[in-house]
Amino acid sequence: MIVILTGAGISQESGIATFRDSGGLWENERIEDVATPGGFARDPKRVLDFYNARRKQLLSPDRQPNLAHKALVRLERECGEPVLVITQNVDDLHERAGTRDLLHMHGELLKARCTSCRMIRQWEQDMFLEDACPECGKTGTLRPHIVWFEEMPLYMDTIEQALGNCRLFVSIGTSGNVYPAAGFSMRARHSGAHVLELNLEPSQGQSSVFHEGRYGKAGEIVPAWVEEILTPTRDATKYSTAQKKAAPGGAAKSDGRDEPYLL
Ligand code: OAD
């Protein structure tokens, strides 16, 4: 099984701003104000406005899946083994490109959730404080279906299982700043997976985690990497170095550079 973790960098060439690059979303907004339950309690209109603007941007016709999203679809269709894409992104560009096995661990911008009846449904229009939940009819209970800081990411049981079972883990376009996602590569490595980073630049503080890195724009390096692994190579064992499980009490060794790691 191949597990892919994606972050904002994969959607950057589709015109969706990243968070921490220069010009990123967290340069102009404070996380505490727009991406925490406390911020929503203090000023819900501000938070709704923030996500309304992002939703509108995502739905504009010039925001489309790019070559990196499409390459992952090709990988899923052609590689002959299960591929799970775990995305931190709340945009819908992976599914628009055609990815089928996909988990939105940080929620989805085009969905609304009711804090009273727990309804989750597609929501493509602006969201206002006065909106009533279409399911239970209450007002003041709707919020964007986004996982904020201090909240538990979604699908963690499924993700944990996949990380323990993959032979190849690929991190694409994420700075590795936000846990638990930032710990997935180490978790996969600990289970014996080959761990690869595809990013604009090496993510800070993670240099000892990856067996290998390719650096450049996702729209270029992801299709090139997919082409490479779908092409029968001289090295038939490429990326199949994983020893599936660590011995009890010890870390998995997949190459000479592995170091023990305590989770
Ligand atoms: P960041 O903005 O922290 O990191 C984006 C990464 O993408 C950086 O490592 C960039 O170098 C890289 N990058 C930028 N442009 C790229 C391109 N064209 N091709 C390839 N890589 C590129 O975004 P995330 O790591 O996704 O959470 O952020 C993780 C989480 O922090 C988000 O899901 C969000 C945010 O706060 C929540 O809102 C809960």
Side-chain angles (χ1 to χ4, degrees):
M1 176 186 205
I2 300 174
V3 173
I4 314 257
L5 172 70
T6 65
I10 197 169
S11 294
Q12 189 270 338
E13 289 157 81
S14 297
I16 311 277
T18 62
F19 295 94
R20 295 175 182 78
D21 294 309
S22 116
L25 280 173
W26 297 152
E27 213 168 72
N28 300 316
E29 296 282 356
R30 293 191 330 148
I31 287 175
E32 308 87 284
D33 291 336
V34 297
T36 62
F40 190 52
R42 275 193 302 280
D43 192 346
K45 182 175 180 315
R46 176 176 184 172
V47 174
L48 293 186
D49 286 347
F50 175 73
Y51 290 101
N52 286 343
R54 293 185 64 199
R55 194 181 300 109
K56 202 169 273 167
Q57 182 199 54
L58 176 60
L59 289 171
S60 78
D62 56 346
R63 301 312 197 271
Q64 297 295 335
N66 64 49
L67 293 173
H69 298 105
K70 291 175 187 170
L72 294 185
V73 178
R74 183 176 172 222
L75 179 72
E76 185 179 44
R77 289 188 183 151
E78 296 180 24
C79 80
E81 68 178 290
V83 175
L84 172 65
V85 177
I86 303 166
T87 189
Q88 299 169 87
N89 299 343
V90 298
D91 66 54
D92 65 343
L93 297 180
H94 280 302
E95 48 270 55
R96 273 201 247 164
T99 289
R100 297 174 66 160
D101 208 353
L102 174 69
L103 298 175
H104 276 281
M105 65 176 290
H106 288 168
E108 294 171 68
L109 188 55
L110 301 184
K111 288 189 177 164
R113 188 191 323 159
C114 175
T115 54
S116 178
C117 73
R118 307 274 155 203
M119 166 224 76
I120 296 171
R121 72 160 61 173
Q122 196 71 7
W123 194 278
E124 299 193 358
Q125 65 273 37
D126 282 348
M127 189 181 288
F128 299 104
L129 289 172
E130 308 76 42
D131 284 331
C133 169
E135 195 88 13
C136 69
K138 288 191 183 154
T139 48
T141 58
L142 284 183
R143 57 168 279 182
H145 184 45
I146 301 283
V147 175
W148 288 323
F149 287 87
E150 302 162 22
E151 296 182 324
M152 182 62 88
L154 307 171
Y155 311 112
M156 286 306 295
D157 289 349
T158 311
I159 290 171
E160 169 58 27
Q161 252 193 341
L163 295 175
N165 285 317
C166 61
R167 70 172 183 90
L168 173 60
F169 177 90
V170 189
S171 171
I172 303 178
T174 176
S175 62
N177 271 290
V178 176
Y179 284 83
F184 290 174
S185 32
M186 192 57 103
R187 170 73 184 86
R189 180 169 178 147
H190 183 67
S191 289
H194 186 87
V195 176
L196 169 68
E197 173 170 55
L198 304 177
N199 205 10
L200 197 57
E201 57 205 22
S203 50
Q204 300 277 317
Q206 301 241 347
S207 54
S208 63
V209 179
F210 299 105
H211 294 105
E212 201 185 335
R214 314 263 174 100
Y215 300 103
K217 290 188 164 193
E220 293 164 11
I221 60 175
V222 177
W225 169 73
V226 168
E227 176 69 31
E228 188 184 309
I229 70 164
L230 291 179
T231 307
T233 56
R234 307 121 297 200
D235 178 8
T237 61
K238 192 154 178 96
Y239 301 130
S240 60
T241 53
Q243 290 170 231
K244 275 321 300 164
K245 289 287 163 212
K253 298 276 184 202
S254 61
D255 73 5
R257 289 169 292 166
D258 269 339
E259 288 158 12
Y261 178 78
L262 297 176
L263 287 174

